[in-house]
Amino acid sequence: MISTSNVTLRVGKKALFEDVNIKFTEGNCYGLIGANGAGKSTFLKILSGQLEPTNGDVIITPGQRLSFLQQDHFKYDQYSVMDTVIMGNPRLYEIMKEKDAIYMKEDFTDEDGIRASELEGEFADMNGWEAESDAATLLNGLGVDTELHYNQMADLPGNLKVKVLLAQALFGNPDILLLDEPTNHLDLDAIAWLEEFLINFENTVIVVSHDRYFLNKVCTQIADIDYSKIQLYAGNYDFWYESSQLLVKQMKEANKKKEEKIKELQEFISRFSANASKSKQATSRKKALEKIQLDEIKPSSRKYPYIDFRPNREIGNEVLTVEGLSKTIDGVKVLDNISFIVGHDDKIAFVGSNELAKTTLFKILSGEMEPDEGNYKWGVTTSQCYFPKDNSHEFDNDDTIVDWLTQYSEIKDVTYVRGFLGRMLFAGEDGVKKVKVLSGGEKVRCMLSKLMISGANCLILDEPTDHLDMESITALNNGLIKFPGVLLFSSRDHQIVQTTANRIIEILPNGMMIDKITTYDEYLESDEMARKRTTYTAQNTDDEEPTEEE
């Protein structure tokens, strides 16, 4: 168990947390939620001991081991993947290294033998003989291939480093597990594996995530940070949302009844206070009026943007035809003879672990990259707008936000442009901020403003939820559901894929693809095993066409 006693953290004059008393118990998974800047990551750092509170204490049950997800992706570059994972249990790793050092001695003494025997006993008690196989199970589950398990961390790409650090946090059955955005940079298969792991995990988990589907799957309780306080709610994220909305509604209704009663009493007092025969009743009502207290209803600190994609023209029947697209990058064929036709009602989610293939396809279709072979053709009634995964080149200039967005608007009126920025929570003086100093989340909101102001009827979005908070993701999800045009998109947010897409395309590791008219959940359920076999075939066969079970 882990708990806090009167924890307060002040940053300058601002209290990020004030007198927080909360208890996290064994067997529960807590989703820690709150608006951007509420202090979710900061609170996890306080719990893990990485940050000292201004006042108060963190109490951990004696003898329990706490593990947390490391955020520094370069911290372990000098170590192997296997060592990095086992370091998740520091004491076990110390024992392994001390044992190895003793056994490598040329002048092995009696004292060394006694010490080695002690270490061997502790090593066995900690299931040390299963350490490497347990680490391998975690790595394989997250999609880190066996041949990479003894490679140096420095040689791994960023997305695999994230998976190794996650395996490190999970290793050795910690008593308390703290996870800050564990699904970031994970493919959907790895996220599904992590969900099952946490559902079956029997100890205490506290997780920060912007993935609503993930929180709904794994959480038994929600810890909501708002106005420097943390309130616990039983249930998952959807239950919290409904409960919190219901609570506010009930308080408003109660206040409305109280206000009606106050008005009734005031009218009676005003009418009969000077009437001798009614004076006692008027006095009685004055006392009753003084006892009525309205409930204080604080508006949440959360702010939801308004995202509404409205095409300037209706789309025709001919939207997009893709024929035989192939592309090789750095000697690897990421697209191999890709062909498909897009209809005017299609909202297509591109899924699977082949991140580079999806990004490459989107760059080709948006005109940013040329294919090696094949061609594509957009219909004459279509207009496209592209949301790239890497938007850094868009903001490498000295433009203000207003000037930056104005260049993409047919209407150059400043008030018109500011209206779109206002929807995305850029108010007042925000419009004159330089785009090059914006945070990651602010840049994404600018890109969404660009999509809205474009009036395009075909949107291409490559991981649009990266850097967004929960409120912005919810607003984006609603905007995509309402959008009457064509969508081609990839997203790690399961709920966006499930609620938006009516067609799924998975590009396999060898560049080929599976194409299904279905929802995402139906795709996973009906084809999961076939998809795994197909992917395996694609990874190990160059010449054979992957088969697909209907």
Side-chain angles (χ1 to χ4, degrees):
M1 183 186 77
I2 183 170
S3 61
T4 65
S5 175
N6 298 318
V7 163
T8 297
L9 179 68
R10 295 188 178 278
V11 181
K13 295 182 179 180
K14 180 184 178 183
L16 198 56
F17 304 108
E18 190 138 32
D19 295 329
V20 172
N21 295 284
I22 193 167
K23 184 185 295 183
F24 301 101
T25 58
E26 184 177 343
N28 283 306
C29 179
Y30 298 86
L32 187 62
I33 65 171
N36 265 7
K40 301 182 292 294
S41 296
T42 301
F43 189 69
L44 285 190
K45 287 179 180 178
I46 291 174
L47 293 179
S48 66
Q50 298 174 79
L51 184 65
E52 286 290 325
T54 307
N55 294 304
D57 299 292
V58 175
I59 303 104
I60 297 176
T61 301
Q64 291 200 338
R65 183 170 70 85
L66 182 147
S67 180
F68 60 91
L69 176 58
Q70 296 280 354
Q71 301 297 319
D72 184 353
H73 297 170
F74 305 99
K75 183 176 181 179
Y76 300 94
D77 277 0
Q78 61 182 315
Y79 299 99
S80 71
V81 169
M82 184 59 66
D83 279 356
T84 300
V85 175
I86 296 175
M87 283 181 190
N89 188 335
R91 179 56 189 155
L92 178 61
Y93 186 74
E94 288 172 9
I95 292 171
M96 291 175 65
K97 291 306 168 185
E98 189 176 350
K99 280 201 314 147
D100 291 346
I102 290 174
Y103 291 140
M104 289 177 67
K105 284 185 175 182
E106 294 183 2
D107 52 344
F108 192 87
T109 65
D110 290 343
E111 289 77 10
D112 290 332
I114 293 170
R115 179 58 180 160
S117 177
E118 293 172 348
L119 292 172
E120 289 290 4
E122 190 175 355
F123 184 72
D125 289 342
M126 299 179 72
N127 294 321
W129 296 112
E130 288 79 40
E132 291 196 7
S133 63
D134 289 346
T137 299
L138 293 172
L139 290 167
N140 289 333
L142 288 166
V144 182
D145 293 337
T146 302
E147 58 265 26
L148 299 175
H149 291 185
Y150 293 91
N151 285 17
Q152 290 296 111
M153 284 288 286
D155 297 331
L156 264 58
N159 64 319
L160 290 183
K161 283 185 178 181
V162 169
K163 293 182 176 183
V164 175
L165 293 179
L166 181 54
Q168 179 194 73
L170 305 178
F171 177 75
N173 194 38
D175 300 290
I176 301 161
L177 179 58
L178 308 181
L179 300 175
D180 191 358
E181 297 291 357
T183 61
N184 274 5
H185 309 295
L186 293 187
D187 54 79
L188 290 167
D189 286 338
I191 293 173
W193 181 90
L194 178 61
E195 289 167 356
E196 289 303 312
F197 180 93
L198 294 179
I199 288 169
N200 295 311
F201 189 72
E202 296 180 350
N203 298 331
T204 305
V205 183
I206 307 171
V207 58
V208 171
S209 177
H210 290 146
D211 188 328
R212 298 156 298 162
Y213 182 89
F214 177 77
L215 292 177
N216 280 329
K217 284 276 285 189
V218 305
C219 291
T220 57
Q221 298 203 40
I222 294 296
D224 178 34
I225 303 178
D226 212 353
Y227 290 105
S228 306
K229 302 294 183 182
I230 303 180
Q231 178 70 41
L232 280 181
Y233 294 82
N236 61 15
Y237 177 80
D238 279 351
F239 189 81
W240 161 80
Y241 184 79
E242 292 169 5
S243 299
S244 60
Q245 296 298 305
L246 180 61
L247 179 61
V248 171
K249 182 181 178 182
Q250 288 173 338
M251 290 174 70
K252 287 181 177 178
E253 289 176 350
N255 274 357
K256 185 178 180 182
K257 290 180 179 178
K258 289 178 182 179
E259 288 168 351
E260 290 172 353
K261 185 65 175 178
I262 288 171
K263 184 179 179 181
E264 177 187 322
L265 292 172
Q266 286 174 335
E267 287 177 352
F268 185 92
I269 294 167
S270 174
R271 187 176 175 185
F272 295 111
S273 58
N275 188 319
S277 62
K278 299 281 189 179
S279 61
K280 286 187 178 180
Q281 294 180 37
T283 301
S284 174
R285 280 165 173 73
K286 280 182 182 179
K287 291 179 180 179
L289 180 61
E290 290 169 359
K291 292 179 181 179
I292 298 177
Q293 298 291 327
L294 295 177
D295 294 323
E296 182 183 3
I297 304 175
K298 277 189 174 181
S300 173
S301 59
R302 292 174 172 84
K303 294 182 179 179
Y304 290 84
Y306 178 70
I307 298 177
D308 187 19
F309 305 109
R310 295 185 181 181
N312 290 336
R313 64 184 299 186
E314 190 174 339
I315 201 165
N317 290 326
E318 293 185 6
V319 179
L320 173 65
T321 301
V322 176
E323 294 182 342
L325 286 187
S326 294
K327 184 69 179 181
T328 298
I329 297 178
D330 296 331
V332 178
K333 201 162 195 176
V334 294
L335 297 176
D336 186 7
N337 195 31
I338 295 292
S339 299
F340 58 91
I341 296 174
V342 178
H344 69 281
D345 292 323
D346 280 345
K347 288 182 168 63
I348 306 175
F350 290 79
V351 304
S353 60
N354 200 339
E355 302 280 328
L356 180 58
K358 290 180 280 188
T359 296
T360 300
L361 177 62
F362 290 159
K363 284 184 175 180
I364 290 172
L365 297 180
S366 63
E368 290 197 2
M369 181 183 287
E370 290 293 325
D372 296 335
E373 299 174 20
N375 57 77
Y376 65 94
K377 182 181 179 181
W378 288 99
V380 294
T381 63
T382 65
S383 55
Q384 307 86 42
C385 198
Y386 172 48
F387 182 108
K389 180 182 292 188
D390 180 6
N391 59 38
S392 56
H393 65 282
E394 287 268 3
F395 302 98
D396 188 18
N397 56 68
D398 289 319
D399 286 348
T400 65
I401 298 178
V402 169
D403 290 340
W404 178 86
L405 186 58
T406 300
Q407 68 182 312
Y408 299 111
S409 175
E410 291 184 4
I411 301 172
K412 302 302 180 182
D413 178 69
V414 172
T415 303
Y416 176 78
V417 173
R418 278 185 175 272
F420 284 89
L421 292 172
R423 296 178 189 177
M424 297 308 297
L425 307 180
F426 294 109
E429 295 301 313
D430 287 340
V432 298
K433 286 174 69 173
K434 300 284 188 181
V435 294
K436 64 183 178 183
V437 301
L438 298 178
S439 68
E442 288 173 325
K443 288 177 180 177
V444 171
R445 285 191 277 124
C446 279
M447 293 298 296
L448 293 173
S449 298
K450 174 186 172 182
L451 263 63
M452 284 194 290
I453 210 168
S454 73
N457 54 26
C458 296
L459 300 181
I460 305 172
L461 300 96
D462 194 358
E463 301 295 347
T465 62
D466 287 356
H467 305 293
L468 288 182
D469 58 19
M470 191 88 76
E471 293 70 42
S472 297
I473 292 172
T474 300
L476 174 61
N477 196 167
N478 292 336
L480 293 178
I481 291 171
K482 291 188 299 182
F483 178 57
V486 166
L487 285 176
L488 308 178
F489 73 101
S490 66
S491 176
R492 299 183 189 92
D493 189 294
H494 186 118
Q495 192 160 334
I496 282 183
V497 178
Q498 170 59 21
T499 58
T500 303
N502 55 22
R503 180 176 170 187
I504 304 294
I505 291 181
E506 178 170 3
I507 302 178
L508 302 171
N510 71 340
M512 299 179 187
M513 59 174 260
I514 299 173
D515 187 350
K516 290 278 192 178
I517 298 175
T518 183
T519 66
Y520 184 56
D521 282 348
E522 289 170 345
Y523 178 72
L524 291 178
E525 183 178 347
S526 63
D527 279 87
E528 186 168 11
M529 295 309 297
R531 186 166 57 89
K532 296 297 183 188
R533 287 195 295 271
T534 303
T535 302
Y536 177 82
T537 302
Q539 288 173 322
N540 293 278
T541 306
D542 292 326
D543 300 321
E544 294 181 12
E545 190 80 13
T547 59
E548 178 187 334
E549 294 182 18
E550 296 293 341

